[in-house]
PDB file of all heavy atoms in Angstrom:
ATOM      1  N   HIS A 584      20.998 154.259 134.992  1.00  0.00           N
ATOM      2  CA  HIS A 584      20.624 155.460 134.250  1.00  0.00           C
ATOM      3  C   HIS A 584      21.722 155.910 133.253  1.00  0.00           C
ATOM      4  O   HIS A 584      21.415 156.387 132.140  1.00  0.00           O
ATOM      5  CB  HIS A 584      20.352 156.622 135.280  1.00  0.00           C
ATOM      6  CG  HIS A 584      19.936 157.901 134.600  1.00  0.00           C
ATOM      7  ND1 HIS A 584      20.806 158.903 134.277  1.00  0.00           N
ATOM      8  CD2 HIS A 584      18.731 158.276 134.178  1.00  0.00           C
ATOM      9  CE1 HIS A 584      20.138 159.875 133.738  1.00  0.00           C
ATOM     10  NE2 HIS A 584      18.884 159.550 133.627  1.00  0.00           N
ATOM     11  N   SER A 585      23.005 155.770 133.673  1.00  0.00           N
ATOM     12  CA  SER A 585      24.083 156.148 132.857  1.00  0.00           C
ATOM     13  C   SER A 585      24.387 155.271 131.635  1.00  0.00           C
ATOM     14  O   SER A 585      24.565 155.684 130.518  1.00  0.00           O
ATOM     15  CB  SER A 585      25.372 156.303 133.711  1.00  0.00           C
ATOM     16  OG  SER A 585      26.536 156.557 132.890  1.00  0.00           O
ATOM     17  N   LYS A 586      24.337 153.973 131.936  1.00  0.00           N
ATOM     18  CA  LYS A 586      24.730 152.939 130.907  1.00  0.00           C
ATOM     19  C   LYS A 586      23.571 152.581 129.992  1.00  0.00           C
ATOM     20  O   LYS A 586      23.705 152.420 128.784  1.00  0.00           O
ATOM     21  CB  LYS A 586      25.331 151.732 131.548  1.00  0.00           C
ATOM     22  CG  LYS A 586      26.614 151.954 132.318  1.00  0.00           C
ATOM     23  CD  LYS A 586      27.770 152.235 131.347  1.00  0.00           C
ATOM     24  CE  LYS A 586      29.101 152.371 132.079  1.00  0.00           C
ATOM     25  NZ  LYS A 586      30.244 152.588 131.139  1.00  0.00           N
ATOM     26  N   GLY A 587      22.425 152.295 130.604  1.00  0.00           N
ATOM     27  CA  GLY A 587      21.271 151.945 129.772  1.00  0.00           C
ATOM     28  C   GLY A 587      21.213 150.515 129.242  1.00  0.00           C
ATOM     29  O   GLY A 587      20.185 150.086 128.722  1.00  0.00           O
ATOM     30  N   ASN A 588      22.292 149.785 129.420  1.00  0.00           N
ATOM     31  CA  ASN A 588      22.293 148.393 128.877  1.00  0.00           C
ATOM     32  C   ASN A 588      22.691 147.334 129.941  1.00  0.00           C
ATOM     33  O   ASN A 588      23.165 146.229 129.634  1.00  0.00           O
ATOM     34  CB  ASN A 588      23.276 148.303 127.739  1.00  0.00           C
ATOM     35  CG  ASN A 588      24.729 148.544 128.110  1.00  0.00           C
ATOM     36  OD1 ASN A 588      25.000 149.024 129.245  1.00  0.00           O
ATOM     37  ND2 ASN A 588      25.654 148.177 127.270  1.00  0.00           N
ATOM     38  N   ILE A 589      22.499 147.655 131.279  1.00  0.00           N
ATOM     39  CA  ILE A 589      22.877 146.765 132.308  1.00  0.00           C
ATOM     40  C   ILE A 589      21.758 145.680 132.535  1.00  0.00           C
ATOM     41  O   ILE A 589      20.608 146.023 132.831  1.00  0.00           O
ATOM     42  CB  ILE A 589      23.137 147.527 133.618  1.00  0.00           C
ATOM     43  CG1 ILE A 589      24.207 148.531 133.467  1.00  0.00           C
ATOM     44  CG2 ILE A 589      23.376 146.532 134.753  1.00  0.00           C
ATOM     45  CD1 ILE A 589      25.552 147.898 133.192  1.00  0.00           C
ATOM     46  N   SER A 590      22.134 144.457 132.263  1.00  0.00           N
ATOM     47  CA  SER A 590      21.204 143.353 132.465  1.00  0.00           C
ATOM     48  C   SER A 590      21.447 142.469 133.663  1.00  0.00           C
ATOM     49  O   SER A 590      20.622 141.680 134.039  1.00  0.00           O
ATOM     50  CB  SER A 590      21.102 142.505 131.175  1.00  0.00           C
ATOM     51  OG  SER A 590      22.415 141.868 130.952  1.00  0.00           O
ATOM     52  N   VAL A 591      22.713 142.609 134.176  1.00  0.00           N
ATOM     53  CA  VAL A 591      23.156 141.708 135.239  1.00  0.00           C
ATOM     54  C   VAL A 591      23.754 142.527 136.385  1.00  0.00           C
ATOM     55  O   VAL A 591      24.588 143.449 136.160  1.00  0.00           O
ATOM     56  CB  VAL A 591      24.227 140.698 134.758  1.00  0.00           C
ATOM     57  CG1 VAL A 591      24.683 139.811 135.859  1.00  0.00           C
ATOM     58  CG2 VAL A 591      23.683 139.914 133.620  1.00  0.00           C
ATOM     59  N   VAL A 592      23.387 142.199 137.648  1.00  0.00           N
ATOM     60  CA  VAL A 592      23.972 142.721 138.822  1.00  0.00           C
ATOM     61  C   VAL A 592      24.616 141.597 139.577  1.00  0.00           C
ATOM     62  O   VAL A 592      23.994 140.553 139.832  1.00  0.00           O
ATOM     63  CB  VAL A 592      22.956 143.434 139.735  1.00  0.00           C
ATOM     64  CG1 VAL A 592      23.604 143.907 141.038  1.00  0.00           C
ATOM     65  CG2 VAL A 592      22.332 144.598 139.019  1.00  0.00           C
ATOM     66  N   GLY A 593      25.956 141.737 139.871  1.00  0.00           N
ATOM     67  CA  GLY A 593      26.648 140.680 140.597  1.00  0.00           C
ATOM     68  C   GLY A 593      27.345 141.135 141.837  1.00  0.00           C
ATOM     69  O   GLY A 593      27.673 142.371 141.971  1.00  0.00           O
ATOM     70  N   ILE A 594      27.507 140.244 142.799  1.00  0.00           N
ATOM     71  CA  ILE A 594      28.351 140.554 143.971  1.00  0.00           C
ATOM     72  C   ILE A 594      29.496 139.494 143.965  1.00  0.00           C
ATOM     73  O   ILE A 594      29.212 138.309 144.055  1.00  0.00           O
ATOM     74  CB  ILE A 594      27.518 140.420 145.273  1.00  0.00           C
ATOM     75  CG1 ILE A 594      26.371 141.446 145.252  1.00  0.00           C
ATOM     76  CG2 ILE A 594      28.378 140.651 146.519  1.00  0.00           C
ATOM     77  CD1 ILE A 594      25.450 141.373 146.433  1.00  0.00           C
ATOM     78  N   ALA A 595      30.735 140.006 143.877  1.00  0.00           N
ATOM     79  CA  ALA A 595      31.865 139.122 143.697  1.00  0.00           C
ATOM     80  C   ALA A 595      33.026 139.596 144.561  1.00  0.00           C
ATOM     81  O   ALA A 595      34.217 139.428 144.167  1.00  0.00           O
ATOM     82  CB  ALA A 595      32.235 139.035 142.235  1.00  0.00           C
ATOM     83  N   GLY A 596      32.770 140.220 145.677  1.00  0.00           N
ATOM     84  CA  GLY A 596      33.911 140.655 146.531  1.00  0.00           C
ATOM     85  C   GLY A 596      33.952 142.128 146.788  1.00  0.00           C
ATOM     86  O   GLY A 596      32.937 142.778 146.872  1.00  0.00           O
ATOM     87  N   PRO A 597      35.230 142.593 146.977  1.00  0.00           N
ATOM     88  CA  PRO A 597      36.528 142.007 146.626  1.00  0.00           C
ATOM     89  C   PRO A 597      37.001 140.876 147.495  1.00  0.00           C
ATOM     90  O   PRO A 597      37.997 140.209 147.228  1.00  0.00           O
ATOM     91  CB  PRO A 597      37.445 143.208 146.715  1.00  0.00           C
ATOM     92  CG  PRO A 597      36.821 144.081 147.702  1.00  0.00           C
ATOM     93  CD  PRO A 597      35.339 143.970 147.485  1.00  0.00           C
ATOM     94  N   GLY A 598      36.321 140.666 148.595  1.00  0.00           N
ATOM     95  CA  GLY A 598      36.585 139.514 149.457  1.00  0.00           C
ATOM     96  C   GLY A 598      35.675 138.343 149.004  1.00  0.00           C
ATOM     97  O   GLY A 598      35.547 138.031 147.851  1.00  0.00           O
ATOM     98  N   ASP A 599      34.958 137.754 149.975  1.00  0.00           N
ATOM     99  CA  ASP A 599      33.998 136.744 149.624  1.00  0.00           C
ATOM    100  C   ASP A 599      32.621 137.142 150.112  1.00  0.00           C
ATOM    101  O   ASP A 599      32.494 137.607 151.296  1.00  0.00           O
ATOM    102  CB  ASP A 599      34.298 135.391 150.280  1.00  0.00           C
ATOM    103  CG  ASP A 599      33.393 134.277 149.749  1.00  0.00           C
ATOM    104  OD1 ASP A 599      33.665 133.726 148.596  1.00  0.00           O
ATOM    105  OD2 ASP A 599      32.396 134.014 150.422  1.00  0.00           O
ATOM    106  N   PRO A 600      31.553 137.071 149.299  1.00  0.00           N
ATOM    107  CA  PRO A 600      30.262 137.526 149.690  1.00  0.00           C
ATOM    108  C   PRO A 600      29.749 136.922 151.015  1.00  0.00           C
ATOM    109  O   PRO A 600      29.006 137.581 151.793  1.00  0.00           O
ATOM    110  CB  PRO A 600      29.355 137.142 148.522  1.00  0.00           C
ATOM    111  CG  PRO A 600      30.310 137.184 147.380  1.00  0.00           C
ATOM    112  CD  PRO A 600      31.618 136.659 147.929  1.00  0.00           C
ATOM    113  N   PHE A 601      30.126 135.672 151.295  1.00  0.00           N
ATOM    114  CA  PHE A 601      29.579 135.070 152.507  1.00  0.00           C
ATOM    115  C   PHE A 601      30.503 135.048 153.689  1.00  0.00           C
ATOM    116  O   PHE A 601      30.247 134.449 154.739  1.00  0.00           O
ATOM    117  CB  PHE A 601      29.081 133.619 152.136  1.00  0.00           C
ATOM    118  CG  PHE A 601      28.043 133.657 151.095  1.00  0.00           C
ATOM    119  CD1 PHE A 601      28.284 133.327 149.786  1.00  0.00           C
ATOM    120  CD2 PHE A 601      26.773 134.147 151.418  1.00  0.00           C
ATOM    121  CE1 PHE A 601      27.318 133.361 148.811  1.00  0.00           C
ATOM    122  CE2 PHE A 601      25.784 134.288 150.448  1.00  0.00           C
ATOM    123  CZ  PHE A 601      26.068 133.853 149.117  1.00  0.00           C
ATOM    124  N   ALA A 602      31.628 135.764 153.540  1.00  0.00           N
ATOM    125  CA  ALA A 602      32.399 136.220 154.670  1.00  0.00           C
ATOM    126  C   ALA A 602      31.921 137.593 155.136  1.00  0.00           C
ATOM    127  O   ALA A 602      32.286 138.122 156.115  1.00  0.00           O
ATOM    128  CB  ALA A 602      33.910 136.320 154.306  1.00  0.00           C
ATOM    129  N   ASN A 603      31.007 138.107 154.339  1.00  0.00           N
ATOM    130  CA  ASN A 603      30.292 139.395 154.628  1.00  0.00           C
ATOM    131  C   ASN A 603      28.781 139.176 154.372  1.00  0.00           C
ATOM    132  O   ASN A 603      28.174 139.952 153.689  1.00  0.00           O
ATOM    133  CB  ASN A 603      30.789 140.523 153.717  1.00  0.00           C
ATOM    134  CG  ASN A 603      32.303 140.631 153.631  1.00  0.00           C
ATOM    135  OD1 ASN A 603      32.837 141.487 154.295  1.00  0.00           O
ATOM    136  ND2 ASN A 603      32.993 139.841 152.914  1.00  0.00           N
ATOM    137  N   ALA A 604      28.279 138.111 154.982  1.00  0.00           N
ATOM    138  CA  ALA A 604      26.891 137.672 154.574  1.00  0.00           C
ATOM    139  C   ALA A 604      25.870 138.722 154.837  1.00  0.00           C
ATOM    140  O   ALA A 604      24.891 138.859 153.985  1.00  0.00           O
ATOM    141  CB  ALA A 604      26.614 136.352 155.297  1.00  0.00           C
ATOM    142  N   ASP A 605      25.886 139.435 155.984  1.00  0.00           N
ATOM    143  CA  ASP A 605      24.860 140.381 156.265  1.00  0.00           C
ATOM    144  C   ASP A 605      24.837 141.463 155.147  1.00  0.00           C
ATOM    145  O   ASP A 605      23.701 141.809 154.735  1.00  0.00           O
ATOM    146  CB  ASP A 605      25.100 141.054 157.633  1.00  0.00           C
ATOM    147  CG  ASP A 605      24.886 140.113 158.790  1.00  0.00           C
ATOM    148  OD1 ASP A 605      24.234 139.009 158.518  1.00  0.00           O
ATOM    149  OD2 ASP A 605      25.296 140.380 159.868  1.00  0.00           O
ATOM    150  N   LYS A 606      25.960 141.982 154.773  1.00  0.00           N
ATOM    151  CA  LYS A 606      26.006 143.008 153.756  1.00  0.00           C
ATOM    152  C   LYS A 606      25.565 142.454 152.398  1.00  0.00           C
ATOM    153  O   LYS A 606      24.859 143.162 151.654  1.00  0.00           O
ATOM    154  CB  LYS A 606      27.430 143.614 153.672  1.00  0.00           C
ATOM    155  CG  LYS A 606      27.831 144.401 154.865  1.00  0.00           C
ATOM    156  CD  LYS A 606      29.198 145.051 154.605  1.00  0.00           C
ATOM    157  CE  LYS A 606      29.606 145.875 155.848  1.00  0.00           C
ATOM    158  NZ  LYS A 606      30.891 146.568 155.626  1.00  0.00           N
ATOM    159  N   THR A 607      25.959 141.225 152.115  1.00  0.00           N
ATOM    160  CA  THR A 607      25.601 140.609 150.835  1.00  0.00           C
ATOM    161  C   THR A 607      24.052 140.423 150.716  1.00  0.00           C
ATOM    162  O   THR A 607      23.467 140.782 149.769  1.00  0.00           O
ATOM    163  CB  THR A 607      26.270 139.280 150.639  1.00  0.00           C
ATOM    164  OG1 THR A 607      27.723 139.463 150.588  1.00  0.00           O
ATOM    165  CG2 THR A 607      25.840 138.554 149.440  1.00  0.00           C
ATOM    166  N   ILE A 608      23.475 139.783 151.766  1.00  0.00           N
ATOM    167  CA  ILE A 608      22.001 139.533 151.758  1.00  0.00           C
ATOM    168  C   ILE A 608      21.233 140.805 151.761  1.00  0.00           C
ATOM    169  O   ILE A 608      20.188 140.970 151.059  1.00  0.00           O
ATOM    170  CB  ILE A 608      21.681 138.622 152.906  1.00  0.00           C
ATOM    171  CG1 ILE A 608      22.341 137.252 152.782  1.00  0.00           C
ATOM    172  CG2 ILE A 608      20.137 138.412 152.944  1.00  0.00           C
ATOM    173  CD1 ILE A 608      22.045 136.497 151.538  1.00  0.00           C
ATOM    174  N   THR A 609      21.719 141.826 152.560  1.00  0.00           N
ATOM    175  CA  THR A 609      20.992 143.167 152.539  1.00  0.00           C
ATOM    176  C   THR A 609      21.029 143.714 151.173  1.00  0.00           C
ATOM    177  O   THR A 609      20.001 144.330 150.711  1.00  0.00           O
ATOM    178  CB  THR A 609      21.641 144.043 153.583  1.00  0.00           C
ATOM    179  OG1 THR A 609      21.529 143.491 154.852  1.00  0.00           O
ATOM    180  CG2 THR A 609      20.942 145.399 153.611  1.00  0.00           C
ATOM    181  N   THR A 610      22.170 143.690 150.517  1.00  0.00           N
ATOM    182  CA  THR A 610      22.288 144.298 149.163  1.00  0.00           C
ATOM    183  C   THR A 610      21.403 143.582 148.193  1.00  0.00           C
ATOM    184  O   THR A 610      20.693 144.220 147.351  1.00  0.00           O
ATOM    185  CB  THR A 610      23.790 144.206 148.675  1.00  0.00           C
ATOM    186  OG1 THR A 610      24.620 144.870 149.625  1.00  0.00           O
ATOM    187  CG2 THR A 610      23.880 144.883 147.295  1.00  0.00           C
ATOM    188  N   ILE A 611      21.372 142.261 148.287  1.00  0.00           N
ATOM    189  CA  ILE A 611      20.493 141.443 147.359  1.00  0.00           C
ATOM    190  C   ILE A 611      19.051 141.837 147.603  1.00  0.00           C
ATOM    191  O   ILE A 611      18.255 142.019 146.661  1.00  0.00           O
ATOM    192  CB  ILE A 611      20.751 139.950 147.584  1.00  0.00           C
ATOM    193  CG1 ILE A 611      22.076 139.540 147.069  1.00  0.00           C
ATOM    194  CG2 ILE A 611      19.626 139.131 146.990  1.00  0.00           C
ATOM    195  CD1 ILE A 611      22.507 138.126 147.433  1.00  0.00           C
ATOM    196  N   ASP A 612      18.647 141.963 148.827  1.00  0.00           N
ATOM    197  CA  ASP A 612      17.216 142.335 149.139  1.00  0.00           C
ATOM    198  C   ASP A 612      16.868 143.713 148.579  1.00  0.00           C
ATOM    199  O   ASP A 612      15.832 143.852 147.985  1.00  0.00           O
ATOM    200  CB  ASP A 612      17.104 142.389 150.724  1.00  0.00           C
ATOM    201  CG  ASP A 612      15.693 142.696 151.105  1.00  0.00           C
ATOM    202  OD1 ASP A 612      14.783 141.896 150.928  1.00  0.00           O
ATOM    203  OD2 ASP A 612      15.466 143.851 151.651  1.00  0.00           O
ATOM    204  N   LEU A 613      17.782 144.637 148.744  1.00  0.00           N
ATOM    205  CA  LEU A 613      17.506 146.025 148.214  1.00  0.00           C
ATOM    206  C   LEU A 613      17.394 146.019 146.688  1.00  0.00           C
ATOM    207  O   LEU A 613      16.495 146.660 146.144  1.00  0.00           O
ATOM    208  CB  LEU A 613      18.649 146.948 148.655  1.00  0.00           C
ATOM    209  CG  LEU A 613      18.688 147.314 150.175  1.00  0.00           C
ATOM    210  CD1 LEU A 613      20.005 148.077 150.474  1.00  0.00           C
ATOM    211  CD2 LEU A 613      17.500 148.089 150.625  1.00  0.00           C
ATOM    212  N   VAL A 614      18.328 145.299 146.059  1.00  0.00           N
ATOM    213  CA  VAL A 614      18.324 145.311 144.607  1.00  0.00           C
ATOM    214  C   VAL A 614      17.067 144.595 144.045  1.00  0.00           C
ATOM    215  O   VAL A 614      16.452 145.072 143.121  1.00  0.00           O
ATOM    216  CB  VAL A 614      19.577 144.559 144.081  1.00  0.00           C
ATOM    217  CG1 VAL A 614      19.546 144.398 142.576  1.00  0.00           C
ATOM    218  CG2 VAL A 614      20.861 145.470 144.409  1.00  0.00           C
ATOM    219  N   ARG A 615      16.761 143.377 144.682  1.00  0.00           N
ATOM    220  CA  ARG A 615      15.637 142.625 144.179  1.00  0.00           C
ATOM    221  C   ARG A 615      14.351 143.423 144.294  1.00  0.00           C
ATOM    222  O   ARG A 615      13.418 143.349 143.465  1.00  0.00           O
ATOM    223  CB  ARG A 615      15.554 141.290 144.867  1.00  0.00           C
ATOM    224  CG  ARG A 615      14.441 140.382 144.431  1.00  0.00           C
ATOM    225  CD  ARG A 615      14.495 140.158 142.877  1.00  0.00           C
ATOM    226  NE  ARG A 615      15.448 139.187 142.435  1.00  0.00           N
ATOM    227  CZ  ARG A 615      16.056 139.205 141.319  1.00  0.00           C
ATOM    228  NH1 ARG A 615      15.828 140.212 140.466  1.00  0.00           N
ATOM    229  NH2 ARG A 615      16.912 138.272 140.970  1.00  0.00           N
ATOM    230  N   LYS A 616      14.158 144.106 145.425  1.00  0.00           N
ATOM    231  CA  LYS A 616      12.919 144.919 145.644  1.00  0.00           C
ATOM    232  C   LYS A 616      12.801 146.027 144.593  1.00  0.00           C
ATOM    233  O   LYS A 616      11.693 146.304 144.131  1.00  0.00           O
ATOM    234  CB  LYS A 616      12.969 145.496 147.064  1.00  0.00           C
ATOM    235  CG  LYS A 616      12.631 144.448 148.143  1.00  0.00           C
ATOM    236  CD  LYS A 616      12.670 145.071 149.525  1.00  0.00           C
ATOM    237  CE  LYS A 616      12.370 143.955 150.560  1.00  0.00           C
ATOM    238  NZ  LYS A 616      12.541 144.565 151.973  1.00  0.00           N
ATOM    239  N   LYS A 617      13.864 146.658 144.324  1.00  0.00           N
ATOM    240  CA  LYS A 617      13.791 147.803 143.347  1.00  0.00           C
ATOM    241  C   LYS A 617      13.928 147.418 141.911  1.00  0.00           C
ATOM    242  O   LYS A 617      13.305 148.025 140.999  1.00  0.00           O
ATOM    243  CB  LYS A 617      14.887 148.870 143.614  1.00  0.00           C
ATOM    244  CG  LYS A 617      14.738 150.179 142.801  1.00  0.00           C
ATOM    245  CD  LYS A 617      15.451 151.280 143.429  1.00  0.00           C
ATOM    246  CE  LYS A 617      15.161 152.590 142.713  1.00  0.00           C
ATOM    247  NZ  LYS A 617      15.843 153.719 143.258  1.00  0.00           N
ATOM    248  N   TYR A 618      14.596 146.285 141.645  1.00  0.00           N
ATOM    249  CA  TYR A 618      14.803 145.786 140.268  1.00  0.00           C
ATOM    250  C   TYR A 618      14.357 144.374 140.203  1.00  0.00           C
ATOM    251  O   TYR A 618      15.192 143.431 140.090  1.00  0.00           O
ATOM    252  CB  TYR A 618      16.184 145.970 139.783  1.00  0.00           C
ATOM    253  CG  TYR A 618      16.727 147.420 139.707  1.00  0.00           C
ATOM    254  CD1 TYR A 618      17.352 147.981 140.808  1.00  0.00           C
ATOM    255  CD2 TYR A 618      16.523 148.177 138.606  1.00  0.00           C
ATOM    256  CE1 TYR A 618      17.783 149.308 140.785  1.00  0.00           C
ATOM    257  CE2 TYR A 618      16.973 149.470 138.506  1.00  0.00           C
ATOM    258  CZ  TYR A 618      17.571 150.013 139.582  1.00  0.00           C
ATOM    259  OH  TYR A 618      18.015 151.361 139.515  1.00  0.00           O
ATOM    260  N   PRO A 619      13.039 144.053 140.277  1.00  0.00           N
ATOM    261  CA  PRO A 619      12.591 142.693 140.384  1.00  0.00           C
ATOM    262  C   PRO A 619      12.912 141.801 139.228  1.00  0.00           C
ATOM    263  O   PRO A 619      12.972 140.575 139.389  1.00  0.00           O
ATOM    264  CB  PRO A 619      11.082 142.804 140.579  1.00  0.00           C
ATOM    265  CG  PRO A 619      10.787 144.223 140.038  1.00  0.00           C
ATOM    266  CD  PRO A 619      11.968 145.045 140.304  1.00  0.00           C
ATOM    267  N   ASP A 620      13.127 142.408 138.066  1.00  0.00           N
ATOM    268  CA  ASP A 620      13.365 141.587 136.828  1.00  0.00           C
ATOM    269  C   ASP A 620      14.854 141.525 136.430  1.00  0.00           C
ATOM    270  O   ASP A 620      15.169 140.840 135.438  1.00  0.00           O
ATOM    271  CB  ASP A 620      12.557 142.182 135.684  1.00  0.00           C
ATOM    272  CG  ASP A 620      11.061 142.131 135.936  1.00  0.00           C
ATOM    273  OD1 ASP A 620      10.597 141.203 136.557  1.00  0.00           O
ATOM    274  OD2 ASP A 620      10.374 143.106 135.540  1.00  0.00           O
ATOM    275  N   ILE A 621      15.695 142.117 137.143  1.00  0.00           N
ATOM    276  CA  ILE A 621      17.112 142.125 136.762  1.00  0.00           C
ATOM    277  C   ILE A 621      17.785 140.816 137.113  1.00  0.00           C
ATOM    278  O   ILE A 621      17.397 140.125 138.039  1.00  0.00           O
ATOM    279  CB  ILE A 621      17.885 143.326 137.435  1.00  0.00           C
ATOM    280  CG1 ILE A 621      19.141 143.674 136.578  1.00  0.00           C
ATOM    281  CG2 ILE A 621      18.320 142.915 138.864  1.00  0.00           C
ATOM    282  CD1 ILE A 621      19.581 145.049 136.881  1.00  0.00           C
ATOM    283  N   ILE A 622      18.692 140.402 136.304  1.00  0.00           N
ATOM    284  CA  ILE A 622      19.462 139.167 136.573  1.00  0.00           C
ATOM    285  C   ILE A 622      20.480 139.456 137.702  1.00  0.00           C
ATOM    286  O   ILE A 622      21.194 140.401 137.641  1.00  0.00           O
ATOM    287  CB  ILE A 622      20.241 138.714 135.332  1.00  0.00           C
ATOM    288  CG1 ILE A 622      19.286 138.443 134.175  1.00  0.00           C
ATOM    289  CG2 ILE A 622      21.086 137.433 135.625  1.00  0.00           C
ATOM    290  CD1 ILE A 622      19.985 138.123 132.882  1.00  0.00           C
TER     291      ILE A 622
END
């Protein structure tokens, strides 16, 4: 809402996404459901 030009959502830490796999996959699930077309 603030930026208006966000085309990409990334997960890059600050540790490793798959050392925190539950949180990473849960976040991906939430983002994909609400923003199905975002990169």
Side-chain angles (χ1 to χ4, degrees):
H584 181 265
S585 172
K586 295 289 184 181
N588 64 345
I589 298 298
S590 63
V591 180
V592 176
I594 300 176
D599 187 83
F601 299 106
N603 309 260
D605 289 346
K606 292 184 178 183
T607 296
I608 298 301
T609 299
T610 303
I611 289 172
D612 181 70
L613 291 171
V614 172
R615 182 53 81 210
K616 285 177 179 176
K617 187 159 188 179
Y618 297 93
D620 298 325
I621 205 161
I622 299 173

